[in-house]
Amino acid sequence: MKVILVMATTLDGKIGRHAADPVDWTGSADKKYFVQVTRRAGVMIMGNNTFNTIGRPLPGRKNIVMTRTLEGKKNKENLIFTNCSPEKILQELETQGRREVALIGGAQINSLFARQGLIHEVHLTIAPRLFGQGLSLFNESCDLNLKLISMDSLGRHTLLLKYDVA
Ligand SMILES: NC(=O)c1ccc[n+]([C@@H]2O[C@H](COP(=O)([O-])OP(=O)(O)OC[C@H]3O[C@@H](n4cnc5c(N)ncnc54)[C@H](OP(=O)(O)O)[C@@H]3O)[C@@H](O)[C@H]2O)c1
């Protein structure tokens, strides 16, 4: 199972200004890439704060939302709330025949996967923005070695960097 971390940052490495900040600043080229890579994977894993900023399950993909509180949350056909560990979620997806999954944030959930060595690729869009303050890709220290796969432009102002996790 390949886990691809798919994230956008500002030039100063921020993924959002605060936990409830919607990701509406990355531009249309990033959105297009996000749809392409997540639809190809067919399944996305995210934290509950990220889900709340989106506000609805995204169509054409399974939306797995990690939360510690299942009470009051209703699963639907393409929306699953879970309090299982990253390993358990990935095992379950493997038994369903999945080969690839997009991990789409935020900082807390990215850290859970990084801590367990469960991120295999990173696709990072760098949007032409500067926030000065805000959340980083991870909310705790981590130390991953990366190998550059490719660097491309998404439109005139945005970069897409792809890395393998060594
Ligand atoms: N730029 C980008 O590409 C991008 C992408 C995604 C998100 N973001 C930004 O990231 C921010 C949100 O990130 P965040 O770090 O605050 O939150 P997050 O990682 O999206 O979600 C955190 C939530 O995940 C649940 N959780 C945490 N640890 C868990 C565990 N061990 N087991 C089960 N559930 C667990 C908890 O939900 P409960 O409270 O329900 O228990 C926790 O509140 C927003 O600003 C958003 O816009 C940016």
Side-chain angles (χ1 to χ4, degrees), residues 79-98:
L79 175 63
I80 311 287
F81 291 98
T82 180
N83 57 8
C84 291
S85 66
E87 297 94 321
K88 191 89 202 306
I89 295 171
L90 296 179
Q91 271 168 16
E92 177 69 24
L93 288 170
E94 251 171 14
T95 63
Q96 294 165 9
R98 303 277 185 184

Side-chain angles (χ1 to χ4, degrees), residues 20-80:
D21 193 18
V23 192
D24 56 5
W25 46 268
T26 63
S28 57
D30 170 65
K31 289 287 169 237
K32 202 169 155 193
Y33 181 71
F34 178 83
V35 169
Q36 182 195 317
V37 69
T38 54
R39 278 189 183 258
R40 189 189 66 196
V43 53
M44 311 182 298
I45 301 173
M46 70 194 89
N48 196 43
N49 290 351
T50 295
F51 179 68
N52 288 337
T53 67
I54 301 171
R56 66 193 163 91
L58 295 177
R61 291 144 279 185
K62 187 190 272 251
N63 294 242
I64 297 179
V65 180
M66 294 186 69
T67 177
R68 292 193 180 95
T69 321
L70 292 174
E71 211 181 301
K73 298 188 174 87
K74 276 216 167 116
N75 290 349
K76 294 182 189 161
E77 197 196 329
N78 69 340
L79 175 63
I80 311 287

